[in-house]
């Protein structure tokens, strides 16, 4: 497998962020009461797509909020 790729064939822009993003994903799933747990090897096949979408949407909102905080603190975001 090529560097920076995961099993889905998508290239990760910042491979080092994978664990942090996983932590955010499972934290949000827990907040929504979705019964998935870290270490479940990312099998979400029994979770309705609506719930998966809620988690993904919340992740995007959280990442945008983090980026906005960085901008407000005077830091510039890196170009990828």
């Amino acid at each position: 497998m090529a560097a920076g790729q995961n099993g889905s064939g998508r290239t990760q822009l910042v491979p080092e962020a994978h664990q942090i993003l996983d932590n955010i994903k499972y934290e949000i799933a827990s907040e929504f009461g979705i019964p998935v747990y870290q270490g479940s090897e990312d099998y979400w096949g029994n979770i309705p797509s609506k719930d998966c979408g809620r988690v993904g949407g919340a992740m995007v909102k959280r990442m945008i909020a983090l980026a906005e905080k960085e901008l407000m603190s005077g830091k510039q975001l890196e170009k990828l």
Side-chain angles (χ1 to χ4, degrees):
M1 187 178 304
Q5 286 192 342
N6 59 24
S8 69
R10 293 177 294 195
T11 300
Q12 294 181 344
L13 297 176
V14 185
E16 301 81 16
H18 180 81
Q19 186 63 48
I20 295 167
L21 293 173
D22 258 6
N23 292 344
I24 292 170
K25 175 174 61 177
Y26 287 102
E27 178 182 317
I28 291 169
S30 175
E31 290 170 7
F32 289 152
I34 298 171
V36 291
Y37 305 98
Q38 210 150 8
S40 63
E41 299 179 17
D42 287 331
Y43 178 75
W44 289 46
N46 57 333
I47 306 300
S49 59
K50 180 179 179 180
D51 288 339
C52 293
R54 286 177 61 209
V55 171
M59 287 179 69
V60 170
K61 286 179 185 178
R62 193 169 291 184
M63 288 184 282
I64 289 171
L66 289 169
E68 288 175 342
K69 284 181 186 178
E70 290 288 310
L71 291 171
M72 294 306 294
S73 70
K75 296 181 184 177
Q76 286 191 331
L77 297 179
E78 281 187 40
K79 291 182 182 178
L80 299 175

